[in-house]
């Protein structure tokens, strides 16, 4: 089962004064970052701040350091006693990374979000996405992936990577989150890229500043016409396997029914969360 998200807002683990502000940003989920956003000298204090925050606000995501590092192991040990709703695995390369994290966390209810940002991770993406029932979403780490590939960190050069991840996530039935748009002042560019990744098959886009959340949500919002048509489709059928019917002069079969279900689920989330 996938996660219903449009947005995920990153906040540095070394800036605990920003945690509450992030919660009030309107993002569907916040992710406190213990990896790239935290200097090595600040890792211990950041981890302590995150654990303290989780005790009051367990419904968050925490990005940990790679499981191949001592710091990542220390992150998992700390979170095993104070579990967040989700744990994002930086530089997830294989199924073993997922299995190790789940084992050390000791809780099947904690969602695992593998962050695919290496060539090895991309090659193993299908297996990673299907590794465990705890994996309900997967995310593209575009900056590290671009650095490893030697390509520009922008939409077109990473289109092949995005397309591969869309296939892997869809096959496993998990949501796919796109990398943040790093120019926080360029709302037009953010809107354009978000609409592109939505069209490609991504379910959500990450953000690095609260001012990006409204633009992301608007880009993922179904139109009134799409909602109206999806409602008409679902009124005409009783299941995705209803066969072929005609709705408003258009032929409707299983793919259209499934797409209509997704539109209505997203519309329901919009009505619930704003």
């Amino acid at each position: 089962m996938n996660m219903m998200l449009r947005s995920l807002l990153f906040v540095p683990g070394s800036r605990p004064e920003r945690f509450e502000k992030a919660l009030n940003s309107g993002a569907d989920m916040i992710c406190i970052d213990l990896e790239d956003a935290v200097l090595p000298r600040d890792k211990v204090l950041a981890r302590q701040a995150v654990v303290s925050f989780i005790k009051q606000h367990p419904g968050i995501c925490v990005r940990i350091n790679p499981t191949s590092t001592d710091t990542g192991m220390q992150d998992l040990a700390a979170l095993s006693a104070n579990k967040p709703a989700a744990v994002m695995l930086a530089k997830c390369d294989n199924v073993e990374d997922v299995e190790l994290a789940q084992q050390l966390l000791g809780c099947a209810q904690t969602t695992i979000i593998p962050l695919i940002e290496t060539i090895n991770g991309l090659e193993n993406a299908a297996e990673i996405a299907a590794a465990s029932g705890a994996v309900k979403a997967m995310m593209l780490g575009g900056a590290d992936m671009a650095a490893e590939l030697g390509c520009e960190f922008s939409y077109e050069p990473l289109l092949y990577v995005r397309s591969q991840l869309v296939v892997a996530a869809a096959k496993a039935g998990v949501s796919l989150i796109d990398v943040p748009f790093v120019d926080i002042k360029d709302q037009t560019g953010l809107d354009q890229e978000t609409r592109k990744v939505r069209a490609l098959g991504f379910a959500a886009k990450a953000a690095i500043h609260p001012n990006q959340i409204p633009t992301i949500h608007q880009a993922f919002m179904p139109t009134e016409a799409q909602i109206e048509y999806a409602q008409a489709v679902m009124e005409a059928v009783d299941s995705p396997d209803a066969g072929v019917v005609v709705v408003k002069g258009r032929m409707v079969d299983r793919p259209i029914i499934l797409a209509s279900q997704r539109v209505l689920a997203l519309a329901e989330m919009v009505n619930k969360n704003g």
Side-chain angles (χ1 to χ4, degrees):
M1 182 177 179
N2 61 11
M3 295 179 74
M4 284 298 296
L5 292 177
R6 298 162 295 173
S7 60
L8 181 145
L9 175 63
F10 281 105
V11 57
S14 54
R15 300 297 298 272
E17 72 278 6
R18 295 184 181 179
F19 295 174
E20 287 284 353
K21 182 179 179 181
L23 277 180
N24 295 323
S25 67
D28 293 331
M29 178 174 274
I30 71 165
C31 183
I32 302 180
D33 187 10
L34 291 176
E35 194 214 8
D36 285 345
V38 180
L39 295 173
R41 67 171 183 266
D42 297 328
K43 297 284 188 184
V44 173
L45 288 178
R47 187 184 303 119
Q48 292 172 351
V50 170
V51 168
S52 177
F53 191 72
I54 291 170
K55 293 177 181 178
Q56 301 298 321
H57 303 282
I60 65 170
C61 175
V62 178
R63 176 163 77 167
I64 65 168
N65 291 276
T67 59
S68 59
T69 66
D70 290 340
T71 308
M73 291 294 96
Q74 292 162 8
D75 292 340
L76 284 171
L79 295 178
S80 67
N82 300 275
K83 299 176 180 64
V87 171
M88 183 179 292
L89 305 183
K91 297 178 177 63
C92 184
D93 279 347
N94 49 55
V95 171
E96 288 74 22
D97 289 344
V98 175
E99 293 174 342
L100 177 60
Q102 192 171 8
Q103 176 186 349
L104 294 180
L105 287 168
C107 180
Q109 280 68 49
T110 300
T111 294
I112 303 294
I113 304 178
L115 184 57
I116 308 301
E117 49 189 342
T118 65
I119 293 172
N120 286 338
L122 181 62
E123 290 178 340
N124 296 322
E127 291 77 13
I128 291 170
S132 164
V135 177
K136 295 181 174 63
M138 188 162 62
M139 181 175 163
L140 166 63
D144 284 277
M145 182 69 76
E148 188 159 333
L149 292 173
C151 72
E152 183 179 328
F153 178 27
S154 58
Y155 182 79
E156 291 295 340
L158 289 172
L159 180 56
Y160 172 79
V161 173
R162 284 185 165 100
S163 300
Q164 293 295 302
L165 293 182
V166 166
V167 173
K171 183 177 180 180
V174 303
S175 296
L176 188 58
I177 306 167
D178 194 48
V179 64
F181 188 78
V182 294
D183 186 347
I184 61 175
K185 294 183 179 180
D186 185 2
Q187 294 290 336
T188 299
L190 171 63
D191 178 72
Q192 292 174 343
E193 185 168 280
T194 304
R195 292 181 186 278
K196 286 179 181 179
V197 299
R198 178 189 177 188
L200 195 62
F202 280 75
K205 189 164 181 65
I208 54 174
H209 194 282
N211 71 9
Q212 295 180 313
I213 301 301
T215 300
I216 291 172
H217 286 184
Q218 184 64 37
F220 276 105
M221 185 179 296
T223 65
E224 290 185 10
Q226 289 172 327
I227 294 171
E228 180 183 346
Y229 181 71
Q231 290 171 335
V233 168
M234 298 315 300
E235 289 171 1
V237 302
D238 53 13
S239 78
D241 299 311
V244 178
V245 298
V246 176
V247 177
K248 295 189 175 185
R250 297 171 62 184
M251 186 188 78
V252 169
D253 56 7
R254 180 179 171 83
I256 302 299
I257 296 169
L258 292 174
S260 296
Q261 288 179 328
R262 289 194 294 271
V263 167
L264 294 180
L266 183 55
E268 182 180 354
M269 183 175 66
V270 170
N271 288 333
K272 180 179 178 181
N273 299 335

